Amino acid sequence: MKKIASLSLLALCLAAVPAFAQTDLYDNGPINGTTDGWTINFGFIVSDSFTLGAASQVSGVSFGAWLFPGDILQSAEVSITSSEFGGTTFFDGNVNFSQSGCSENQYGYDVCTITGSFAPVNLNAGSYWLNLQNAVVNTGDPVYWDENGGPSSASQNSVGTIPSESFTILGGTTSTTGTTGTGTTPEPSSIMLFGSGVLGLAGVLRRKLF
């Protein structure tokens, strides 16, 4: 009985250990929702820089998205690299998202907060790039990353330098340094299966909204 009681106490202690707490490691400013947005599917990629002031475990991202009314952003390919669109890849994977706080803007789009988590990636203090592409919605519509003109540098793969977007890098600081990143292999997104067919919809899939 004493052994059983000890094991039960151990189980309770383990259950009480909190999960990895996410904090804001980098914030590029609030969602604007009124100026512009940049396509992050149908072959378009948007890349924004961010800086970590200390060694950190990055485990999620939150950003603003413009969606057609009723659309639900299900996932997107998220990568963290040493330069815009490439260089050394520290993380690359298909991330599932939840959306909240949606409101209609003056152009008739739903502007929503999009949040997703992934396995923690160890990154040393320094500058990196967040890349979003291959976004998937329930209807197959375009998805636009909200432009807010924050302090980040930003680029879009078809036009070059653009004003930066609204996003927050989530995770926690750590005293561990050394090997950086996980080298995660990207998961194929279902949008890639029909990407070549929809790229012809140039009239609908403008590289930017306005």
Side-chain angles (χ1 to χ4, degrees):
M1 288 296 293
K2 184 176 180 180
K3 183 176 181 181
I4 294 174
S6 298
L7 291 174
S8 299
L9 180 60
L10 176 61
L12 288 173
C13 290
L14 291 174
V17 174
F20 180 76
Q22 286 187 326
T23 59
D24 294 353
L25 296 174
Y26 177 89
D27 188 349
N28 201 52
I31 294 173
N32 181 289
T34 63
T35 301
D36 207 346
W38 293 84
T39 313
I40 54 171
N41 52 355
F42 301 108
F44 296 110
I45 311 169
V46 178
S47 184
D48 278 60
S49 67
F50 68 93
T51 301
L52 299 176
S56 304
Q57 282 193 325
V58 175
S59 57
V61 62
S62 177
F63 65 96
W66 294 31
L67 302 167
F68 285 89
D71 279 3
I72 298 173
L73 178 53
Q74 299 170 332
S75 65
E77 183 180 344
V78 176
S79 61
I80 298 173
T81 55
S82 62
S83 59
E84 53 188 354
F85 311 122
T88 302
T89 299
F90 305 108
F91 172 79
D92 191 342
N94 196 52
V95 176
N96 296 322
F97 290 112
S98 62
Q99 66 188 52
S100 60
C102 299
S103 61
E104 184 177 332
N105 68 8
Q106 72 270 37
Y107 305 114
Y109 289 91
D110 286 342
V111 180
C112 305
T113 299
I114 307 298
T115 305
S117 298
F118 44 83
V121 180
N122 292 319
L123 296 176
N124 294 325
S127 296
Y128 303 90
W129 290 78
L130 170 69
N131 310 284
L132 297 183
Q133 61 184 311
N134 296 327
V136 178
V137 297
N138 55 320
T139 60
D141 286 332
V143 179
Y144 306 98
W145 190 357
D146 173 62
E147 175 187 300
N148 72 344
S152 172
S153 299
S155 293
Q156 199 255 17
N157 64 324
S158 67
V159 300
T161 301
I162 60 173
S164 66
E165 284 60 55
S166 57
F167 70 98
T168 302
I169 299 296
L170 306 173
T173 57
T174 174
S175 59
T176 302
T177 58
T179 303
T180 301
T182 62
T184 305
T185 302
E187 298 178 32
S189 172
S190 60
I191 197 69
M192 296 292 288
L193 297 178
F194 60 91
S196 59
V198 296
L199 282 174
L201 302 177
V204 176
L205 306 176
R206 291 167 293 177
R207 289 172 290 185
K208 59 177 291 188
L209 288 172
F210 307 103

